[in-house]
C-alpha cells in the first residue's frame, strides 16, 4: 500500500499513528496491518464510503458498544437499498413486509434497510407481472432463515471484533454472490431433471429454469455477481 495512502488514513483517524522512530519515519506493527486490511475490505469489497468506514471503525474500537451494534453498523453500510417507485404498490409492499416479519416473529431493527429493499423488490415484481413469486415468499423466507443460521455460525467463530466486522462485509457481498451462483446451478439441475432427465417432459421447457443468461428474475446476468440483500451475517 502506498505510503501517502497510509498517511491519509492516519490523518482521517481511520488508522492509529505509527510509533515514531525518527522525525520523518514511523514503525507500523501487525495491528496496523490488520486495520489496513479491514479498511481495504470495507472500501473495496463492501463498497463503503470513507465516512461510513470511519463510523464502523469507531464502533469497532469502542469496547462499550455491543457486538450486535458493531455488526449492524457494518452490515448497514453494505446492504443496498432497492429504489422502489413511490405509490400505492410500494406502500402495500411495505405492509406485506411488516406482516411477514410479524408472522415469522423475526427480530429486526426498526427501519431496517433490508426490509425496505424487500418492499422495493416485491413492488417491482408486481409491476412487471410476476406477483406469483411474491406468493412464494414464505418458502424463500424458510430458505433465508436456514442460510442465516449458517452465516451466523461462521460469524460466531470469529473472535476479534475486527474479524467480526470483516466477516460481515465479506459474507454480505461475496456470500451473496456465492449463494446466487449455487442457486443458478440448482436451477439448472432441477430443470434438467424436470424437462430432460429420465421420465421428464423433454422439450417442454428451457434447460436452466430461468431465461438463459438471466439468472433469477431481477437478478444479475450469469458472470456478473450481484451483492447485498437479506440473509447476510450479522443482519
Amino acid at each position: 500500500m502506498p505510503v501517502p495512502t497510509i498517511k491519509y488514513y492516519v490523518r482521517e483517524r481511520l488508522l492509529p499513528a505509527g510509533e515514531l522512530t525518527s522525525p520523518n519515519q514511523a514503525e507500523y506493527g501487525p495491528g496496523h496491518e490488520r486495520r489496513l486490511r479491514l479498511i481495504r475490505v470495507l472500501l473495496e469489497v463492501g463498497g463503503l464510503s470513507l465516512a461510513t468506514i470511519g463510523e464502523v471503525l469507531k464502533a469497532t474500537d469502542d469496547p462499550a458498544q455491543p457486538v450486535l451494534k458493531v455488526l449492524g453498523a457494518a452490515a448497514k453500510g453494505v446492504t443496498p437499498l432497492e429504489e422502489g417507485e413511490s405509490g400505492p404498490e410500494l406502500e402495500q409492499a411495505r405492509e406485506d413486509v411488516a406482516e411477514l416479519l410479524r408472522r415469522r416473529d423475526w427480530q429486526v431493527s426498526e427501519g431496517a434497510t433490508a426490509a425496505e429493499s424487500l418492499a422495493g423488490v416485491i413492488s417491482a415484481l408486481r409491476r412487471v407481472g410476476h406477483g406469483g413469486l411474491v406468493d412464494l415468499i414464505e418458502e424463500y423466507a424458510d430458505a433465508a432463515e436456514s442460510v442465516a443460521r449458517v452465516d451466523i455460525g461462521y460469524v460466531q467463530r470469529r473472535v476479534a471484533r475486527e474479524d467480526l466486522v470483516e466477516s460481515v462485509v465479506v459474507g454480505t457481498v461475496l456470500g451473496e454472490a456465492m449463494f446466487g451462483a449455487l442457486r443458478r446451478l440448482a436451477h439448472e439441475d432441477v430443470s434438467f431433471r424436470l424437462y430432460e432427465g429420465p421420465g421428464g417432459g423433454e422439450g417442454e421447457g428451457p434447460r436452466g429454469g430461468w431465461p438463459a443468461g438471466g439468472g433469477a428474475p431481477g437478478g444479475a446476468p450469469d458472470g456478473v455477481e450481484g451483492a447485498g440483500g437479506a440473509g447476510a451475517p450479522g443482519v
Side-chain angles (χ1 to χ4, degrees):
M1 184 174 292
V3 172
T5 301
I6 296 175
K7 289 182 176 180
Y8 176 75
Y9 291 159
V10 171
R11 287 198 305 272
E12 293 298 310
R13 301 181 183 275
L14 300 177
L15 181 72
E19 183 180 348
L20 288 176
T21 56
S22 69
N24 60 353
Q25 285 189 326
E27 184 176 297
Y28 294 87
H32 293 92
E33 183 180 357
R34 183 187 190 88
R35 175 54 59 92
L36 285 171
R37 183 182 65 183
L38 178 58
I39 293 171
R40 301 309 292 183
V41 167
L42 292 169
L43 189 65
E44 296 173 0
V45 179
L48 275 67
S49 67
L50 286 178
T52 302
I53 290 174
E55 294 175 7
V56 173
L57 295 179
K58 184 178 179 181
T60 303
D61 291 336
D62 184 359
Q65 293 285 351
V67 170
L68 185 60
K69 187 168 183 178
V70 176
L71 298 181
K76 185 177 181 180
V78 295
T79 302
L81 180 61
E82 295 291 337
E83 292 292 340
E85 293 183 9
S86 60
E89 281 189 336
L90 182 58
E91 289 304 317
Q92 179 60 55
R94 286 170 175 158
E95 291 179 13
D96 292 342
V97 171
E99 175 58 31
L100 172 72
L101 297 177
R102 286 193 294 268
R103 189 166 61 246
R104 300 189 69 91
D105 195 27
W106 280 2
Q107 306 300 308
V108 300
S109 59
E110 186 176 352
T113 54
E116 183 67 12
S117 294
L118 179 57
V121 171
I122 289 174
S123 177
L125 283 169
R126 287 171 174 160
R127 284 200 309 273
V128 298
H130 283 277
L133 270 176
V134 182
D135 297 335
L136 302 175
I137 197 166
E138 289 291 347
E139 286 83 352
Y140 279 102
D142 287 339
E145 202 167 279
S146 297
V147 172
R149 290 194 182 98
V150 175
D151 289 339
I152 298 302
Y154 172 74
V155 170
Q156 285 180 326
R157 294 196 296 271
R158 317 293 283 186
V159 179
R161 290 166 74 92
E162 288 194 351
D163 266 352
L164 286 171
V165 174
E166 187 172 322
S167 66
V168 168
V169 175
V170 174
T172 299
V173 180
L174 299 185
E176 190 78 7
M178 179 172 67
F179 185 74
L182 286 168
R183 187 186 186 206
R184 291 196 297 274
L185 290 170
H187 285 163
E188 183 164 349
D189 173 71
V190 171
S191 59
F192 174 79
R193 293 173 189 276
L194 284 173
Y195 299 122
E196 298 182 30
E202 186 172 355
E204 294 179 8
R207 181 175 182 180
W210 301 112
D222 287 345
V224 180
E225 304 298 359
V235 179

